[in-house]
């Protein structure tokens, strides 16, 4: 029997994503991802002073602003021919790392965990924690009230199988509340070097404007200890427990199996990055070649040329285009749709034999009794994100110890009248690139190709679906009116549609 299920917008992710599932015989036959709104940052940037770019592009998103600021200053550094001194480079690593920790913790607890954890278990709570008792009072009321519109964010929810173990449910709900405090802690860590969060004041081409002091180093060390404790005692164990409770989700949501990472967290002049760049196509590792990136628009609400390289890209909205179904363009790498994000970074680092990554991945796989290939799945994406969060947090200790109070934190520069630059980095959700062209000292063209644009892209000019569309195909849907299985597939990618449409 055929049916269609449309979920628009999908909740518990950032921005406006619509999903259309065409179901045949209880399985998704075709899936479509729609970015439902237009924003126009690439147009807003035209004609402006290039130093506005790292501030304006950070407003693309409140979750991953640092990545946009970083891509922007990297593109400008490429155009101006400069690089930051060690203090600037390392402090930027720390700001970005703190933003990763913040983002990964939100994603698991606030956005995804409620696909698995049973919030109704709070009614069984017998302890004395005031916050949990307040949650219990509220949830007991909502669950028994039969209101036609229950109060979000916990209810309403799709019917489905949730965790049955009361202790695990109550532990995860307690961690849900603690995660809110950890997000603030990660923001405080970033703000020691970024001025404030979420949108950093201090990022400039050539480094950062904030002086490094003994006080900021000591404060960073202390905040990091709290974050590491939460990752070790809550985030990782909770992900492992959920993974063990839902083993079928190591089979669900596979996707194309092509992965892309630009590499991130510069280790200095050698060009080495803590998480390396690379590409995996059909299981084979390749060197990254940015010149083969293009964007198609056959099914996107744009009238610009199709198949353009981002450096020559244009953004001409066409809301009446009949064939279109998304405000995302379709980025492709040598024609391939690429999955980006923590799983891509971890698999590429693992295949490259990175010394810190390989033992961490092997230890986790041993704990959960899985093979590396099984990471390409819903649970694998959660596991990869959690491992990455731990690796990045632990690496912050090294970076904090490498900061030198009083030394330069920025390199002077002159903005040339014309030129172009490419800034490639990795946002929490994956590969992020900004392309900049200057004319008369002003921005002539600015193009962003963003992680969720890769992951949630619509079909390309050849009709090939995007990574999330492909990961959804084949998923068994038990009840088309409660397609929780599809929501688990989508949320495992941690989509941000605000970024994706930019
Ligand atoms: Ni709005 Fe972002 C990240 C970027 S995702 S969250 O991480 O760039 O498309
Ligand atoms: Mg773009």
């Amino acid at each position: 029997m055929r049916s269609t299920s449309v979920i628009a917008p999908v909740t518990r992710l950032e921005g406006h994503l619509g999903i259309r599932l065409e179901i045949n015989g209880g399985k998704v036959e075709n899936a479509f991802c729609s970015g439902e709104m237009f924003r126009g940052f690439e147009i807003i940037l035209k004609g402006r002073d290039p130093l506005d770019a790292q501030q304006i592009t950070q407003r693309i998103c409140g979750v991953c602003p640092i990545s946009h600021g970083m891509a922007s200053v990297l593109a400008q550094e490429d155009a101006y021919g400069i690089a930051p001194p060690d203090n600037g480079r390392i402090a930027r690593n720390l700001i970005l790392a703190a933003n990763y920790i913040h983002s990964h913790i939100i994603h698991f607890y606030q956005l995804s965990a409620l696909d698995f954890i049973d919030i109704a278990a709070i009614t069984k709570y017998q302890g004395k924690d005031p916050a949990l008792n307040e949650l219990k009072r509220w949830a007991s009321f909502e669950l028994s009230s039969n209101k036609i519109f229950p109060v979000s964010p916990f209810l309403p929810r799709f019917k489905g199988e949730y965790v049955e173990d009361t202790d695990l449910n109550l532990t995860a709900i307690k961690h849900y509340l603690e995660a809110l405090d950890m997000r603030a802690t990660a923001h405080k860590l970033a703000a020691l070097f970024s001025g404030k969060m979420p949108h950093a004041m201090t990022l400039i081409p050539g480094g950062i404007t904030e002086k490094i002091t003994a006080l900021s180093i000591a404060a960073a060390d202390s905040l990091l200890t709290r974050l590491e404790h939460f990752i070790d005692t809550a985030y990782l164990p909770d992900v492992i427990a959920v993974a063990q409770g839902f083993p079928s989700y190591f089979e669900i949501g596979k996707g194309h199996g092509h992965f892309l990472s630009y590499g991130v967290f510069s280790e200095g002049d050698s060009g080495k990055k803590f998480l390396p760049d690379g590409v995996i196509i059909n299981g084979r590792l390749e060197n990254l070649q940015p010149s083969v990136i293009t964007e198609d628009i056959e099914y996107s609400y744009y009238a610009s040329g199709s198949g353009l390289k981002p450096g020559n890209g244009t953004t001409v909205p066409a809301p009446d285009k009949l064939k279109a179904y998304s405000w995302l363009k379709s980025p492709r790498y040598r024609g391939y749709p690429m999955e980006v994000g923590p799983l891509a970074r971890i698999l590429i680092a693992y295949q490259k034999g990175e010394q810190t990554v390989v033992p961490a991945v092997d230890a986790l796989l041993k704990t959960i009794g899985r093979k590396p290939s099984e990471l390409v799945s819903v649970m694998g994406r959660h596991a990869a994100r959690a491992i990455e969060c731990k690796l990045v947090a632990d690496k912050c200790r090294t970076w904090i110890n490498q900061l030198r109070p009083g030394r330069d934190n920025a390199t002077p520069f002159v903005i040339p009248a014309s030129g172009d630059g490419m800034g490639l980095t990795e946002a929490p959700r994956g590969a992020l690139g900004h392309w900049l062209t200057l004319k008369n000292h002003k921005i002539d063209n600015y193009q962003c190709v963003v992680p969720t644009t890769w992951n949630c892209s619509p079909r390309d000019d050849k009709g090939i679906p995007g990574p999330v569309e492909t990961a959804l195909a084949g998923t068994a849907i038990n009840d088309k009116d409660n397609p929780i299985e599809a929501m688990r597939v989508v949320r495992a990618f941690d989509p941000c549609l605000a970024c994706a449409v930019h």
Side-chain angles (χ1 to χ4, degrees):
M1 207 180 78
R2 286 175 184 277
S3 62
T4 300
S5 181
V6 176
I7 308 101
V10 178
T11 55
R12 282 193 276 109
L13 49 77
E14 170 52 37
H16 303 257
L17 172 66
I19 295 287
R20 177 186 167 90
L21 305 171
E22 294 176 355
I23 300 167
N24 187 7
K27 283 193 171 176
V28 176
E29 193 170 55
N30 280 306
F32 299 82
C33 286
S34 172
E36 298 182 315
M37 92 186 216
F38 176 67
R39 297 186 71 205
F41 274 81
E42 291 159 339
I43 298 168
I44 291 168
L45 284 155
K46 275 177 180 270
R48 290 188 182 261
D49 187 309
L51 289 177
D52 288 349
Q54 72 269 19
Q55 284 305 327
I56 290 176
T57 57
Q58 284 192 71
R59 272 66 188 175
I60 289 173
C61 188
V63 189
C64 69
I66 302 306
S67 312
H68 287 287
M70 284 292 300
S72 182
V73 294
L74 290 169
Q76 291 181 67
E77 284 167 4
D78 187 30
Y80 309 163
I82 51 163
D86 282 346
N87 263 355
R89 171 182 62 78
I90 295 163
R92 292 199 316 206
N93 282 352
L94 285 165
I95 299 168
L96 183 59
N99 198 215
Y100 266 56
I101 297 168
H102 168 262
S103 181
H104 287 2
I105 289 175
I106 302 182
H107 174 257
F108 185 67
Y109 287 100
Q110 273 71 47
L111 303 181
S112 277
L114 297 171
D115 286 343
F116 304 98
I117 297 298
D118 183 8
I119 186 68
I122 191 65
T123 57
K124 298 182 194 145
Y125 179 66
Q126 298 297 336
K128 293 200 162 52
D129 185 301
L132 287 172
N133 274 311
E134 176 55 20
L135 194 58
K136 177 182 176 179
R137 184 199 63 72
W138 170 78
S140 304
F141 170 72
E142 289 294 331
L143 286 163
S144 61
S145 70
N146 285 328
K147 285 154 71 178
I148 52 167
F149 286 113
V151 173
S152 57
F154 302 127
L155 298 168
R157 61 177 179 177
F158 284 141
K159 293 192 193 85
E161 287 179 357
Y162 292 90
V163 168
E164 286 175 4
D165 179 334
T166 303
D167 283 344
L168 174 56
N169 278 321
L170 290 176
T171 302
I173 293 168
K174 179 166 175 278
H175 292 160
Y176 179 106
L177 296 180
E178 286 173 18
L180 298 169
D181 186 38
M182 288 302 118
R183 290 165 54 186
T185 305
H187 267 9
K188 284 176 194 164
L189 170 55
L192 289 168
F193 309 105
S194 69
K196 70 173 185 61
M197 283 300 284
H199 298 109
M201 301 305 293
T202 64
L203 296 177
I204 46 159
I208 65 165
T209 57
E210 185 75 9
K211 288 261 180 260
I212 306 298
T213 65
L215 189 64
S216 58
I217 292 173
D221 202 71
S222 151
L223 293 169
L224 178 63
T225 302
R226 293 186 60 202
L227 293 167
E228 284 181 299
H229 178 76
F230 182 79
I231 295 164
D232 289 340
T233 61
Y235 184 18
L236 266 169
D238 288 347
V239 169
I240 290 168
V242 167
Q244 286 171 331
F246 291 83
S248 61
Y249 280 87
F250 281 101
E251 305 295 321
I252 295 171
K254 288 199 176 302
H256 292 288
H258 311 315
F259 300 96
L260 165 70
S261 167
Y262 295 151
V264 66
F265 300 120
S266 167
E267 296 281 40
D269 297 339
S270 64
K272 184 167 164 38
K273 292 171 180 168
F274 175 56
L275 295 172
D277 62 22
V279 173
I280 297 174
I281 294 177
N282 293 322
R284 270 201 44 212
L285 185 67
E286 296 182 14
N287 289 332
L288 172 68
Q289 218 190 325
S291 62
V292 301
I293 295 167
T294 52
E295 288 191 299
D296 282 359
I297 54 131
E298 179 85 358
Y299 292 93
S300 312
Y301 294 111
Y302 295 101
S304 3
S306 203
L308 299 178
K309 296 187 181 196
N312 303 322
T314 54
T315 301
V316 182
D320 298 334
K321 188 167 161 183
L322 280 177
K323 207 173 180 184
Y325 65 90
S326 180
W327 284 100
L328 278 66
K329 296 177 185 172
S330 295
R332 294 294 184 260
Y333 183 92
R334 214 187 317 124
Y336 290 99
M338 306 299 285
E339 174 171 345
V340 300
L343 176 64
R345 288 190 288 263
I346 291 292
L347 289 178
I348 288 163
Y350 190 79
Q351 280 215 19
K352 284 191 146 180
E354 286 294 319
Q355 276 175 11
T356 38
V357 176
V358 172
V361 173
D362 285 340
L364 187 99
L365 289 171
K366 196 168 164 213
T367 306
I368 57 180
R370 297 281 157 186
K371 302 190 293 277
S373 60
E374 291 174 292
L375 288 174
V376 185
S377 61
V378 168
M379 277 306 158
R381 291 187 185 97
H382 288 295
R385 195 173 287 108
I387 300 177
E388 180 180 80
C389 193
K390 172 159 178 60
L391 290 170
V392 167
D394 289 349
K395 184 69 183 178
C396 283
R397 184 81 55 201
T398 310
W399 290 325
I400 291 171
N401 289 332
Q402 289 172 344
L403 289 171
R404 294 288 173 266
R407 295 226 185 128
D408 282 352
N409 31 280
T411 304
F413 59 90
V414 174
I415 299 175
S418 61
D420 45 57
M422 172 176 77
L424 302 184
T425 185
E426 286 281 317
R429 285 157 195 73
L432 171 66
H434 287 193
W435 281 260
L436 160 77
T437 308
L438 297 177
K439 207 164 143 187
N440 298 328
H441 302 279
K442 295 275 194 289
I443 296 172
D444 188 51
N445 200 20
Y446 203 102
Q447 289 281 306
C448 310
V449 182
V450 178
T452 300
T453 324
W454 285 99
N455 283 338
C456 288
S457 86
R459 279 146 175 78
D460 59 28
D461 290 10
K462 286 185 254 160
I464 301 170
V468 172
E469 293 181 333
T470 300
L472 281 164
T475 304
I477 304 293
N478 196 26
D479 167 5
K480 84 168 185 63
D481 296 323
N482 286 279
I484 187 166
E485 302 88 347
M487 298 299 94
R488 288 169 175 158
V489 172
V490 172
R491 291 200 186 99
F493 282 86
D494 193 4
C496 173
L497 274 290
C499 274
V501 296
H502 53 273

